[in-house]
Each structure stands twice: as C-alpha cells, then as structure tokens.
Amino acid sequence: MSYQVLARKWRPRSFREMVGQTHVLKALINALDNQRLHHAYLFTGTRGVGKTTIARIIAKCLNCETGITSTPCGTCSVCREIDEGRFVDLIEIDAASRTKVEDTRELLDNVQYAPSRGRFKVYLIDEVHMLSTHSFNALLKTLEEPPPYVKFILATTDPQKLPATILSRCLQFSLKNMSPERVVEHLSHVLAAENVPFEADALWLLGRAADGSMRDAMSLTDQAIAFGEGKVLAADVRAMLGSLDQGQVYGVLQALLEGDARALLEAVRNLAEQGPDWAGVLAEMLNVLHRVAIAQALPEAVDNGQGDRDRVLALAQALPAEDVQFYYQMGLIGRRDLPLAPDPRGGFEMVLLRMLAFRPADTDDAPKPVLKPVGISQATADPANPVAAPAPAVPPPAAEPAPAAPAAPAPLVVPPPATVDHEPELPADAELRAEVEAISVPEPVAEVVDLPWEDPAPASAPVAEPVAEPASAPRPTPTAAPAVHDEPPFDPSAYAAVGMDRDDEPPLDEDYYGGESDPVGFSYLDELAEHVQEEAPAPAPAPLPAAKPATGLALQWLELFPQLPVSGMTGNIAANCTLIAADGDDWLLHLDPGQGALFNTTQQRRLNEALNQHLGRTLNLRIELVLPEQETPAQAAARKRAERQQGAVASIEQDPLIQQMIKLFGAKVRQDTIEPVEALANQGQ
C-alpha cells in the first residue's frame, strides 16, 4: 500500500477528533441531538481549518445506519464509504472548476431525485464564492426551499464575495485560525503516535510557519520528517524553512541596548553569511519587541512557547518602555522603506544605525551608554598627533569672555565674494581708524547673572565673540556704546579709498527682510562663520508681565530659584511658579495655567526632590494652576531682558557715528539686529 500523507491519514472522522472550533461543534452537536436540522450550512475560514472535514462528518451524522446522531459509528457501510470518498449520495462539487450557469442548472436538475442509499442527499460545494452571478441566481430558489431529503453545505475562504441573498439563506459558521499552541499540541500527539522523535522547538517553528492552518502544519511536518531522515529537529526545521535563529536576533537587540555600534555591525555581518531575507529579520525583531512590550505590561502573559521566555523578561527589565516603543516604530517604518534601499543589507543596517543614533536618552530611568566608535580610532590613526580626552558635554562657564578673535577653522575654505576683485585697504585717516577700532571691539563689561534656564543662544553662534575681519570697508557693529571722543571732521575721501563706487547706494527699506543679515559690508569671516554655525533653537515666547512686583514669599522664591538643581521641563515649571504659602514644611506654589500642558505629577515630584536636596529637609510641596499675581522668575527674566534690549537700542541710536552715517548716507538702524552687550558676553562663554 502506498504511503498516505499525515494530513489525510489524521483527518478527523468524528466531532470528538476535531482540534479546536469548539464554538462550531457545540452548535452542530446540539442541533443533531435535538433534530433541529437546517437545510443549508455555510462554513467560512482560511485554508486547512476543517471546513470540508466538518461537512463530511455532518454527512455521516445524517446518513449513519444507526440513525441521525452526533456520534456516527464509523463502522457501517455508509460511514466507511463516506470516509473513502465513494458514497453516492454525497456529491462534492468544486465551484472553482464549475463556474458556469449550465453546470449549476445540471446540478439542480438532479435535486428532484431522491437519495439512492442514504436518508439525505448532501451537496458539498467547495469554494462557492467562485460561482458566477448567474449561477448564484439560478441557485437561489432551490437553496431557499430544497426538497426535505436535500442538504446543502457550502464552504468558502472568501465570504465577502458571496451575495447577501445567498448568505441570508444559509446557517453561517466562521471557523477560526489554529493558534501555534494548538498546532504544537496536535503535532506532539501525532508524532508520538507515529513514533517519530522530535524536539519541542522544532514543533514551535512548524506551528508558526503554518500560519493558522492545521493542514499546512501536517504537510510541513511530513517535509520535516523527510528532511531530518525520520526525525524532527529544530536545526533541520530551521534550515528547511530558512527561518532565522532567535539567538542572532537577541544579539542585535543586545548590541542596541549597550549602544555598541561595532557589535551591531558584527551581528549584521554574521546574519549576512546566511543570506537571510532582511525584511524577515526585521519582522522577527518586531515580534521579539512585541513580546518584550507585553512582558513590561504583564510579565505573566509571556509564554515559553519559543523557549525564550527568560530572554524576553531580561530584555523587558533592561530596556525602558520608551526605547521598546521607539525601536518597534522605527522597525515598522524600516520595513516599509526597505524595498527603496539600493541594497537590502544596507537598508537593514541603516535602520539599526538610526535606532542607535536617535534612541531616547532624556528619561530618568533610561540607561545612557556611551556609543562606542566604529572603525579605527583617532588615537591609532595618527600616532604623531595624540587625541586629547574628550571634553565634558557641558563645559563650565568661563569667568570672563575673551575679547580676542578666534582663528577661522583650518579645514573650511570659503572663497571670497565674487564682487571683491582686490584687497581693500584701511582708511588712511588715523583718527577715523581709531574711532572705528573703538566701536568694533567692545570693552569688557561686568558679568550679568541671569537665571539658570535663561541661557542665550549657544556658543557656536557667529556673534559670540568679535571676529577680526580682513581689511574691508568699516562697518558699525551694534555691540556696545562707543567710547567718548571728540567728533572728527568727516572726510569722504577716506571712504572712497576702500573702493566704494558711486553706484553703491544705500539699500531701500523694501530690500530688508527679517532673518537675513545686512548684505552691505558683509565680511569674509562672517560668511565663514555662517557656514559652520549651528542653528539655534527658536526662542520661547516671553511670558506676560506680572500684575504686581514680587514681595515677601514671592521675592524669596525669586532668590531661591536660581540655586535649585532643576533644568529642562521641570525648570520651566519652577520658573513660572510663585511661592504663596510656606507653613513649616508645607509649601504652596501657584503655577501659570498657560503651563498646564507641561505640568504633571512627575514634574511636581522632581521639583519637590530638588527643594529637599537644596534645603536639606523634607518638604510637602503642592502646586495649583492659579495665575500668579506677583512676578515669577520667568517674568522677572523677561523684564530684565526687555530693559537691557531697550538700553542697547537707545545706546545705538544715540551713538555720534551712527547719527553721522544717518545724516550723510541716509542709513537706517535695524533694531532687530541689535543685541545687548551682556547677551553677547554670555554667548562668548
């Protein structure tokens, strides 16, 4: 006798042998036991979940020689003929090959004849959704009122394609997909009965590869037995399916956790030796991250079906929830964009490097490993020039900004503007040169102490320190009030010496627009600084002025705030508060309701801890969203900035040289380019 495949050999022959589908079996068994039989049944579900099997069992239940029952004997001639597929009153029709209306009419012509051997003539129409519209119309009347000895059983994998008129005439049952746990349980039973050695990990690989179909699982098991020479081993099944080793996925995630770029690329190189499907590797990473997220939310919900429960729980403890969600979202976007990459491996590497570069690092509980450099380090690349230790992320503020001009970076070479074809010279007039030098380099001023969170633009801004410009036309720099000098007589020939044509008229007011520096007198080093400067973040809107000046507890809060070890969002919350009541260790703060979107219990806890640390005792801090009546630290800082800005604008407008240029050249003072000298000094730090 020829070999019979497992899917056919182990096909259930009764309801009690069925695996799963309890919701369907319960309804059918009760209907058969109570003789409440419908004339048309519709079974829907994916391939290999038992639609045709249930239909054949129903045919046996209806025609068994022992009577209509939910437990056919399986030994009578009718049951044996149905199991062998040769029962004359069970008509199985493949709708995919008989879609024409003529085929349906031929079927309906035979409906009027009584069954030959059984009690009922059962029509089993598989893949019924393939019938044409005319076939459905021809079937409608007979399907609604068939003869009492006729039963229709329809099966389909796509019920959405069935007309509503067909659905309304049938008793519909939707069969569910088989879970991997149920598939593994059934495969264990089958292989034990077949005396085939197996490994549990191999069955889990088969259960996931079956994708909800028991028939596919049985077919893959047949293939695995042949591949493993009578054994079902995990290594053989993995090689047969071309699936990925879970250990390599955990190696990639461990490298991400440690921030080790070298180990990350090494893991990718090891993966590339197996020639994997990189989209499948990303999908496997997403599956692991999904289980890690479940472990973080509900650890007991993580099963050990894949033999990696301990690893999943360890990752759930080591990875912050923010990182898990970030990696998962980045992986989803990477899978979408992977077909657009020039090389699949390169696209996969870019996804991992993007995860490494943009991982969240501003949470309290997130690990902050230092990223390891990739490739040859600078110390080994050039032994003659040893590299100094890296500077701290936040350098300590300098005591006084250095007025000397910094040298231009050596690697950057920016050609001079095309309009300048010769080296300009300084004015010949010695007195005018002295006056220009006096206003170009500001004198050192006393340091202005601002609030900790009120730092101006970063040090990389081009106005941080005065730059020694090459010889060019003198340009007034609005950084400080000029020294008091006697007014020298104006000599137009001094300006003619710098190569200024009569066509170089002052620009009109319409030529100016916000956000761009003045093109007149734009120096070579200013242009170089614009190429290397970093874009400063947009300043936050200034808070509205307070109704009353700070007194009492509010004034004490103004003095206490700069000493608190807070920054970021917590510092912003504290800056917009004012102290209302301090009854021993019970403090009450009023917070501007405009900051309510940023305020939560975490910010209140952090501010409370900062106060406890600074004062050396435990306070009970309470914050209410009430508009402060007295000045908050943020309002005080805004007021000081506005006063310094007004003083700087008045100083520039009253400058004698500026007045002279306005009078003789029709110059205009652009107030949006004026910054207080204190801000420039802080930028130099």
Side-chain angles (χ1 to χ4, degrees), residues 600-681:
N600 52 41
T601 56
T602 301
Q603 305 302 332
Q604 180 172 336
R605 174 180 55 81
R606 291 177 180 174
L607 182 55
N608 199 348
E609 293 173 354
L611 284 169
N612 295 344
Q613 177 183 351
H614 177 70
L615 299 177
R617 68 178 194 268
T618 302
L619 299 179
N620 182 19
L621 182 65
R622 189 160 52 93
I623 300 179
E624 296 179 355
L625 292 178
V626 179
L627 185 64
E629 296 182 357
Q630 299 191 33
E631 196 173 54
T632 64
Q635 293 169 336
R639 175 177 53 78
K640 293 178 182 179
R641 284 196 302 269
E643 292 173 356
R644 292 198 298 268
Q645 182 67 27
Q646 293 176 0
V649 171
S651 175
I652 292 298
E653 291 180 345
Q654 297 172 7
D655 180 68
L657 184 59
I658 299 298
Q659 297 277 344
Q660 188 175 10
M661 296 180 67
I662 293 175
K663 179 179 179 181
L664 296 177
F665 294 99
K668 300 290 184 180
V669 176
R670 295 179 56 188
Q671 296 186 1
D672 58 330
T673 62
I674 300 175
E675 296 186 34
V677 68
E678 295 87 354
L680 297 178

Coordinates of all heavy atoms in Angstrom, one line a residue, residues 600-681:
N600 N 2.6 67.9 35.4 CA 2.1 66.6 35.8 C 2.7 66.2 37.1 O 3.5 67.0 37.7 CB 2.3 65.5 34.8 CG 3.8 65.4 34.3 OD1 4.7 65.5 35.2 ND2 4.0 65.2 33.0
T601 N 2.3 65.1 37.7 CA 2.8 64.7 39.0 C 4.3 64.4 39.0 O 5.0 64.6 40.0 CB 2.1 63.4 39.4 OG1 2.2 62.4 38.4 CG2 0.6 63.7 39.6
T602 N 4.8 64.0 37.8 CA 6.3 63.7 37.7 C 7.1 65.0 37.9 O 8.1 65.1 38.6 CB 6.6 63.1 36.4 OG1 5.9 61.8 36.3 CG2 8.1 62.8 36.3
Q603 N 6.6 66.1 37.3 CA 7.3 67.4 37.4 C 7.2 67.9 38.8 O 8.2 68.5 39.4 CB 6.7 68.4 36.4 CG 6.7 67.9 35.0 CD 8.1 67.6 34.5 OE1 9.1 68.1 34.9 NE2 8.2 66.7 33.5
Q604 N 6.0 67.7 39.5 CA 5.9 68.2 40.8 C 6.8 67.4 41.7 O 7.5 67.9 42.7 CB 4.5 68.0 41.3 CG 4.2 68.4 42.7 CD 2.7 68.4 43.1 OE1 1.9 68.6 42.2 NE2 2.4 68.3 44.4
R605 N 6.9 66.0 41.5 CA 7.8 65.2 42.3 C 9.3 65.6 42.2 O 10.0 65.7 43.1 CB 7.7 63.8 41.9 CG 8.6 62.8 42.6 CD 8.4 61.4 42.2 NE 8.4 61.2 40.8 CZ 9.6 61.1 40.1 NH1 10.7 61.2 40.7 NH2 9.6 60.9 38.8
R606 N 9.7 65.9 40.9 CA 11.1 66.3 40.7 C 11.4 67.6 41.3 O 12.5 67.8 41.9 CB 11.4 66.4 39.2 CG 11.4 65.0 38.5 CD 11.6 65.1 37.0 NE 11.6 63.9 36.3 CZ 11.6 63.7 35.0 NH1 11.6 64.7 34.2 NH2 11.6 62.5 34.5
L607 N 10.5 68.6 41.2 CA 10.7 69.9 41.9 C 10.8 69.7 43.4 O 11.6 70.4 44.1 CB 9.6 70.9 41.5 CG 9.7 72.3 42.0 CD1 11.1 72.9 41.7 CD2 8.6 73.2 41.5
N608 N 9.9 68.9 43.9 CA 9.9 68.7 45.4 C 11.2 68.0 45.8 O 11.8 68.4 46.8 CB 8.8 67.7 45.8 CG 8.4 67.8 47.2 OD1 9.2 68.3 48.0 ND2 7.3 67.2 47.6
E609 N 11.8 67.1 45.0 CA 13.1 66.5 45.4 C 14.2 67.5 45.3 O 15.1 67.5 46.1 CB 13.3 65.3 44.4 CG 12.4 64.1 44.6 CD 12.5 63.0 43.6 OE1 13.3 63.3 42.6 OE2 11.9 62.0 43.7
A610 N 14.1 68.4 44.3 CA 15.2 69.4 44.2 C 15.2 70.4 45.4 O 16.2 70.8 45.9 CB 15.0 70.2 42.9
L611 N 14.0 70.7 45.8 CA 13.9 71.6 47.0 C 14.4 70.9 48.3 O 15.1 71.4 49.1 CB 12.4 72.0 47.2 CG 11.9 73.1 46.3 CD1 10.4 73.2 46.4 CD2 12.6 74.4 46.6
N612 N 14.0 69.6 48.4 CA 14.5 68.8 49.5 C 16.0 68.7 49.5 O 16.7 68.9 50.6 CB 13.9 67.4 49.5 CG 12.4 67.4 49.7 OD1 11.9 68.4 50.1 ND2 11.8 66.3 49.4
Q613 N 16.6 68.5 48.3 CA 18.1 68.4 48.2 C 18.7 69.7 48.6 O 19.8 69.8 49.2 CB 18.4 68.0 46.8 CG 19.9 67.9 46.5 CD 20.2 67.5 45.1 OE1 19.3 67.1 44.4 NE2 21.5 67.6 44.7
H614 N 18.2 70.9 48.1 CA 18.8 72.1 48.3 C 18.7 72.6 49.8 O 19.6 73.1 50.4 CB 18.2 73.2 47.4 CG 18.7 74.6 47.6 ND1 20.0 74.9 47.3 CD2 18.1 75.7 48.1 CE1 20.2 76.2 47.6 NE2 19.1 76.7 48.1
L615 N 17.5 72.4 50.4 CA 17.2 72.9 51.7 C 17.7 71.9 52.8 O 17.7 72.3 54.0 CB 15.7 73.2 51.9 CG 15.2 74.3 50.9 CD1 13.7 74.5 51.2 CD2 15.9 75.6 51.2
G616 N 17.9 70.7 52.4 CA 18.4 69.7 53.4 C 17.3 69.2 54.3 O 17.6 68.7 55.4
R617 N 16.0 69.3 53.9 CA 14.9 68.7 54.7 C 13.8 68.3 53.8 O 13.8 68.6 52.6 CB 14.4 69.8 55.7 CG 13.7 71.0 55.1 CD 13.2 71.9 56.3 NE 12.3 72.9 55.8 CZ 12.6 74.1 55.4 NH1 13.9 74.5 55.4 NH2 11.6 75.0 55.1
T618 N 12.8 67.6 54.3 CA 11.8 67.1 53.5 C 10.6 68.0 53.5 O 10.0 68.3 54.6 CB 11.3 65.7 54.0 OG1 12.5 64.8 54.0 CG2 10.2 65.1 53.1
L619 N 10.2 68.5 52.3 CA 9.0 69.4 52.2 C 7.9 68.6 51.6 O 8.0 67.6 50.9 CB 9.4 70.6 51.3 CG 10.5 71.5 51.7 CD1 10.7 72.6 50.7 CD2 10.2 72.1 53.1
N620 N 6.7 69.1 51.9 CA 5.5 68.6 51.3 C 5.0 69.7 50.3 O 4.3 70.7 50.7 CB 4.4 68.4 52.3 CG 3.1 67.8 51.7 OD1 3.1 67.3 50.6 ND2 2.0 67.9 52.5
L621 N 5.4 69.6 49.0 CA 5.1 70.6 48.0 C 3.8 70.4 47.4 O 3.4 69.2 47.0 CB 6.2 70.6 47.0 CG 6.1 71.7 45.9 CD1 6.3 73.1 46.5 CD2 7.2 71.5 44.8
R622 N 3.0 71.4 47.2 CA 1.7 71.4 46.5 C 1.7 72.5 45.4 O 2.0 73.7 45.8 CB 0.6 71.5 47.5 CG -0.8 71.2 46.9 CD -1.8 70.9 48.0 NE -1.8 71.9 49.0 CZ -2.6 73.0 49.1 NH1 -3.5 73.1 48.1 NH2 -2.5 73.9 50.1
I623 N 1.3 72.2 44.2 CA 1.3 73.2 43.1 C -0.2 73.2 42.6 O -0.8 72.2 42.3 CB 2.2 72.8 42.0 CG1 3.7 72.7 42.5 CG2 2.2 73.8 40.8 CD1 4.7 72.3 41.5
E624 N -0.7 74.5 42.5 CA -2.0 74.7 42.0 C -1.9 75.5 40.7 O -1.1 76.4 40.6 CB -2.9 75.4 43.0 CG -3.2 74.5 44.3 CD -4.0 75.3 45.3 OE1 -4.3 76.5 45.0 OE2 -4.4 74.7 46.3
L625 N -2.8 75.3 39.7 CA -2.8 76.0 38.5 C -3.7 77.3 38.7 O -4.9 77.3 38.4 CB -3.4 75.2 37.4 CG -2.6 74.0 36.9 CD1 -3.3 73.2 35.8 CD2 -1.2 74.5 36.4
V626 N -3.0 78.3 39.3 CA -3.7 79.6 39.5 C -2.7 80.7 39.0 O -1.5 80.6 39.2 CB -3.9 79.8 41.0 CG1 -4.5 81.2 41.2 CG2 -4.8 78.7 41.6
L627 N -3.3 81.7 38.3 CA -2.4 82.7 37.7 C -1.7 83.5 38.8 O -2.4 84.1 39.7 CB -3.3 83.6 36.8 CG -2.5 84.7 36.1 CD1 -1.5 84.1 35.1 CD2 -3.4 85.7 35.4
P628 N -0.4 83.5 38.9 CA 0.3 84.2 39.9 C 0.0 85.8 39.8 O 0.1 86.3 38.7 CB 1.8 83.9 39.7 CG 1.8 82.7 38.9 CD 0.6 82.8 38.0
E629 N -0.2 86.4 40.9 CA -0.4 87.8 41.0 C 0.9 88.6 41.0 O 1.0 89.7 40.6 CB -1.3 88.2 42.1 CG -2.7 87.6 42.1 CD -3.6 88.1 43.2 OE1 -3.0 88.8 44.1 OE2 -4.7 87.7 43.3
Q630 N 1.9 88.0 41.6 CA 3.2 88.6 41.7 C 4.2 88.0 40.7 O 4.0 87.0 40.1 CB 3.8 88.5 43.2 CG 2.9 89.2 44.2 CD 3.5 89.2 45.6 OE1 4.7 89.4 45.6 NE2 2.7 89.1 46.6
E631 N 5.3 88.7 40.6 CA 6.3 88.3 39.5 C 6.9 87.0 39.7 O 7.4 86.7 40.8 CB 7.3 89.4 39.4 CG 8.1 89.4 38.1 CD 9.1 90.6 38.1 OE1 9.9 90.8 39.0 OE2 9.0 91.3 37.0
T632 N 6.9 86.1 38.7 CA 7.6 84.8 38.7 C 9.0 85.0 38.2 O 9.3 86.0 37.6 CB 6.8 83.8 37.9 OG1 6.9 84.3 36.5 CG2 5.4 83.7 38.3
P633 N 9.9 84.0 38.4 CA 11.2 84.1 37.8 C 11.2 84.3 36.3 O 12.1 85.0 35.8 CB 11.8 82.7 38.3 CG 11.1 82.4 39.5 CD 9.7 82.8 39.3
A634 N 10.3 83.6 35.6 CA 10.3 83.8 34.2 C 9.9 85.2 33.8 O 10.5 85.8 32.9 CB 9.2 82.8 33.6
Q635 N 8.9 85.8 34.5 CA 8.6 87.2 34.2 C 9.7 88.1 34.6 O 9.9 89.1 33.9 CB 7.3 87.5 35.0 CG 6.0 86.7 34.5 CD 4.9 86.9 35.4 OE1 5.0 87.2 36.6 NE2 3.7 86.7 34.9
A636 N 10.4 87.9 35.7 CA 11.5 88.7 36.1 C 12.6 88.7 35.0 O 13.2 89.7 34.7 CB 12.0 88.3 37.5
A637 N 12.9 87.5 34.5 CA 13.9 87.4 33.5 C 13.5 88.1 32.2 O 14.3 88.7 31.6 CB 14.2 85.9 33.2
A638 N 12.2 88.0 31.8 CA 11.7 88.7 30.6 C 11.8 90.2 30.8 O 12.2 90.9 29.9 CB 10.3 88.2 30.3
R639 N 11.5 90.6 32.0 CA 11.6 92.1 32.2 C 13.0 92.6 32.1 O 13.3 93.6 31.5 CB 11.0 92.4 33.6 CG 11.1 93.9 34.1 CD 10.5 94.1 35.4 NE 10.9 93.2 36.4 CZ 12.1 93.3 37.1 NH1 13.0 94.3 36.8 NH2 12.5 92.4 38.0
K640 N 14.0 91.8 32.7 CA 15.4 92.2 32.6 C 15.9 92.2 31.2 O 16.6 93.1 30.8 CB 16.2 91.3 33.5 CG 16.0 91.4 35.0 CD 16.8 90.4 35.7 CE 16.6 90.5 37.2 NZ 17.4 89.5 38.0
R641 N 15.4 91.2 30.4 CA 15.9 91.2 29.0 C 15.3 92.4 28.2 O 16.0 93.0 27.4 CB 15.4 89.9 28.4 CG 16.2 88.7 28.7 CD 16.0 87.5 27.8 NE 14.6 87.2 27.7 CZ 14.0 86.2 28.5 NH1 14.7 85.6 29.4 NH2 12.7 85.9 28.4
A642 N 14.0 92.7 28.5 CA 13.4 93.9 27.8 C 14.1 95.2 28.2 O 14.4 96.0 27.3 CB 11.9 93.9 28.1
E643 N 14.5 95.3 29.4 CA 15.2 96.5 29.8 C 16.6 96.6 29.2 O 17.0 97.7 28.7 CB 15.3 96.6 31.4 CG 14.0 96.7 32.1 CD 14.1 96.6 33.6 OE1 15.2 96.3 34.1 OE2 13.1 96.8 34.3
R644 N 17.3 95.5 29.2 CA 18.6 95.5 28.5 C 18.5 95.8 27.0 O 19.3 96.5 26.4 CB 19.3 94.2 28.7 CG 19.7 94.0 30.2 CD 20.8 92.9 30.3 NE 20.3 91.6 29.8 CZ 19.8 90.7 30.6 NH1 19.6 90.9 31.9 NH2 19.4 89.5 30.1
Q645 N 17.5 95.2 26.4 CA 17.3 95.5 25.0 C 17.0 96.9 24.7 O 17.5 97.5 23.7 CB 16.1 94.6 24.4 CG 15.9 94.7 22.9 CD 17.0 94.2 22.1 OE1 17.8 93.3 22.5 NE2 17.2 94.7 20.9
Q646 N 16.1 97.5 25.5 CA 15.8 99.0 25.3 C 17.0 99.8 25.5 O 17.3 100.8 24.8 CB 14.7 99.4 26.3 CG 13.3 98.7 26.0 CD 12.3 99.1 27.1 OE1 12.6 99.8 28.0 NE2 11.1 98.5 26.9
G647 N 17.9 99.4 26.5 CA 19.1 100.2 26.7 C 20.0 100.1 25.5 O 20.7 101.0 25.1
A648 N 20.1 98.9 25.0 CA 21.0 98.7 23.8 C 20.5 99.5 22.6 O 21.3 100.1 21.9 CB 21.1 97.2 23.5
V649 N 19.2 99.5 22.3 CA 18.7 100.2 21.2 C 18.9 101.7 21.4 O 19.3 102.4 20.5 CB 17.2 99.9 21.0 CG1 16.6 100.8 20.0 CG2 17.0 98.5 20.6
A650 N 18.7 102.2 22.6 CA 18.9 103.6 22.9 C 20.4 104.0 22.7 O 20.8 105.1 22.2 CB 18.4 104.0 24.3
S651 N 21.3 103.1 23.1 CA 22.7 103.4 23.0 C 23.2 103.5 21.6 O 24.0 104.3 21.2 CB 23.5 102.3 23.7 OG 24.9 102.4 23.6
I652 N 22.6 102.6 20.7 CA 23.0 102.6 19.3 C 22.4 103.9 18.6 O 23.1 104.6 17.9 CB 22.5 101.3 18.6 CG1 23.2 100.1 19.1 CG2 22.6 101.4 17.1 CD1 24.7 100.2 18.8
E653 N 21.2 104.2 18.9 CA 20.5 105.3 18.2 C 21.2 106.6 18.7 O 21.2 107.6 17.9 CB 19.0 105.3 18.6 CG 18.3 104.2 17.9 CD 16.8 104.2 18.2 OE1 16.4 105.0 19.2 OE2 16.0 103.5 17.6
Q654 N 21.7 106.7 19.9 CA 22.4 107.9 20.3 C 23.9 108.0 20.0 O 24.5 109.0 20.4 CB 22.2 108.1 21.9 CG 20.7 108.2 22.3 CD 20.5 108.1 23.8 OE1 21.5 108.1 24.5 NE2 19.2 108.0 24.2
D655 N 24.4 107.0 19.4 CA 25.8 107.0 19.1 C 26.1 108.1 18.1 O 25.5 108.2 17.0 CB 26.2 105.6 18.5 CG 27.7 105.6 18.2 OD1 28.5 105.6 19.1 OD2 28.0 105.5 17.0
P656 N 27.2 108.9 18.3 CA 27.5 110.0 17.3 C 27.8 109.5 15.9 O 27.4 110.1 14.9 CB 28.7 110.7 18.0 CG 28.6 110.3 19.4 CD 28.1 109.0 19.5
L657 N 28.6 108.4 15.8 CA 29.0 108.0 14.5 C 27.7 107.5 13.7 O 27.6 107.7 12.5 CB 30.0 106.9 14.6 CG 30.6 106.3 13.3 CD1 31.2 107.4 12.5 CD2 31.6 105.2 13.5
I658 N 26.8 106.8 14.5 CA 25.6 106.3 13.8 C 24.8 107.5 13.4 O 24.2 107.5 12.2 CB 24.8 105.4 14.8 CG1 25.6 104.2 15.2 CG2 23.5 105.0 14.2 CD1 25.9 103.3 14.0
Q659 N 24.7 108.6 14.2 CA 24.0 109.8 13.8 C 24.6 110.4 12.5 O 23.9 110.8 11.6 CB 24.0 110.8 15.0 CG 23.4 110.3 16.2 CD 21.9 110.5 16.2 OE1 21.4 111.3 15.4 NE2 21.1 109.8 17.1
Q660 N 25.9 110.3 12.5 CA 26.6 110.9 11.3 C 26.3 110.1 10.0 O 26.1 110.7 9.0 CB 28.1 111.0 11.6 CG 28.9 111.8 10.5 CD 30.4 111.9 10.9 OE1 30.8 111.3 11.8 NE2 31.1 112.7 10.2
M661 N 26.3 108.8 10.2 CA 26.1 108.0 9.0 C 24.6 108.1 8.5 O 24.3 108.1 7.3 CB 26.4 106.5 9.3 CG 27.8 106.2 9.6 SD 28.1 104.5 10.0 CE 27.8 103.8 8.4
I662 N 23.7 108.3 9.5 CA 22.3 108.5 9.1 C 22.2 109.8 8.3 O 21.4 109.9 7.3 CB 21.4 108.5 10.3 CG1 21.4 107.1 10.9 CG2 20.0 108.9 10.0 CD1 20.6 107.0 12.2
K663 N 22.9 110.8 8.8 CA 22.8 112.1 8.2 C 23.4 112.2 6.8 O 22.8 112.8 5.9 CB 23.4 113.2 9.2 CG 23.3 114.6 8.7 CD 24.0 115.6 9.7 CE 23.9 117.0 9.2 NZ 24.6 117.9 10.1
L664 N 24.6 111.6 6.7 CA 25.3 111.8 5.4 C 24.9 110.7 4.4 O 24.9 111.0 3.2 CB 26.8 111.7 5.6 CG 27.4 112.8 6.5 CD1 28.8 112.7 6.7 CD2 27.1 114.2 5.8
F665 N 24.6 109.5 4.8 CA 24.4 108.4 3.9 C 22.9 107.9 3.8 O 22.6 107.0 3.1 CB 25.3 107.2 4.2 CG 26.7 107.4 4.0 CD1 27.5 107.7 5.1 CD2 27.3 107.3 2.8 CE1 28.9 107.9 5.0 CE2 28.7 107.5 2.6 CZ 29.5 107.9 3.7
G666 N 22.1 108.5 4.7 CA 20.7 108.0 4.7 C 20.6 106.6 5.3 O 19.7 105.9 4.9
A667 N 21.5 106.3 6.2 CA 21.5 104.9 6.8 C 20.2 104.7 7.7 O 19.7 105.7 8.2 CB 22.7 104.7 7.6
K668 N 19.9 103.5 7.8 CA 18.7 103.1 8.7 C 19.2 102.1 9.7 O 20.0 101.2 9.5 CB 17.6 102.4 7.9 CG 17.1 103.3 6.7 CD 16.2 104.4 7.3 CE 15.6 105.2 6.2 NZ 14.8 106.3 6.7
V669 N 18.8 102.3 11.0 CA 19.1 101.4 12.1 C 18.1 100.3 12.1 O 16.9 100.6 12.2 CB 19.1 102.2 13.4 CG1 19.4 101.2 14.5 CG2 20.2 103.3 13.4
R670 N 18.6 99.1 12.0 CA 17.7 97.9 12.0 C 17.7 97.4 13.5 O 18.7 96.8 13.9 CB 18.2 96.8 11.1 CG 18.1 97.2 9.6 CD 18.6 96.1 8.7 NE 17.9 94.9 9.0 CZ 18.3 93.7 8.5 NH1 19.4 93.6 7.7 NH2 17.6 92.6 8.7
Q671 N 16.6 97.7 14.2 CA 16.6 97.4 15.6 C 16.5 95.9 15.8 O 16.9 95.4 16.9 CB 15.4 98.1 16.2 CG 15.4 99.6 16.2 CD 14.3 100.2 17.0 OE1 13.5 99.5 17.5 NE2 14.2 101.5 17.0
D672 N 16.1 95.1 14.8 CA 16.0 93.6 15.0 C 17.4 93.0 15.1 O 17.5 91.8 15.4 CB 15.1 93.0 13.9 CG 15.7 93.3 12.6 OD1 16.3 94.4 12.4 OD2 15.5 92.5 11.7
T673 N 18.4 93.7 14.6 CA 19.8 93.2 14.7 C 20.6 93.6 15.9 O 21.7 93.2 16.1 CB 20.6 93.6 13.4 OG1 20.7 95.1 13.4 CG2 19.9 93.2 12.2
I674 N 20.0 94.4 16.8 CA 20.7 94.9 18.0 C 20.5 93.9 19.1 O 19.4 93.5 19.4 CB 20.1 96.3 18.4 CG1 20.3 97.3 17.2 CG2 20.8 96.8 19.6 CD1 19.7 98.6 17.5
E675 N 21.6 93.6 19.7 CA 21.5 92.7 20.9 C 22.3 93.3 22.0 O 23.3 94.0 21.8 CB 22.2 91.3 20.6 CG 21.4 90.5 19.6 CD 22.0 89.1 19.4 OE1 22.5 88.6 20.4 OE2 22.0 88.6 18.3
P676 N 21.8 93.2 23.3 CA 22.6 93.8 24.4 C 24.0 93.2 24.5 O 24.2 92.0 24.2 CB 21.7 93.4 25.6 CG 20.4 93.1 25.1 CD 20.6 92.5 23.7
V677 N 24.9 94.0 25.0 CA 26.3 93.5 25.1 C 26.4 92.4 26.1 O 27.2 91.5 26.0 CB 27.2 94.7 25.5 CG1 26.9 95.2 26.9 CG2 28.7 94.3 25.4
E678 N 25.5 92.3 27.1 CA 25.5 91.2 28.1 C 25.2 89.9 27.4 O 25.8 88.9 27.7 CB 24.5 91.5 29.2 CG 24.8 92.7 30.1 CD 24.2 94.0 29.5 OE1 23.7 93.9 28.4 OE2 24.3 95.0 30.1
A679 N 24.3 89.9 26.5 CA 23.9 88.7 25.8 C 25.1 88.2 25.0 O 25.4 87.0 24.9 CB 22.7 88.9 24.9
L680 N 25.8 89.1 24.3 CA 27.0 88.7 23.6 C 28.1 88.2 24.5 O 28.8 87.2 24.1 CB 27.5 89.9 22.7 CG 26.5 90.5 21.7 CD1 27.1 91.7 21.0 CD2 26.2 89.4 20.7
A681 N 28.2 88.8 25.6 CA 29.3 88.3 26.6 C 28.9 86.9 27.0 O 29.8 86.0 27.1 CB 29.4 89.2 27.8

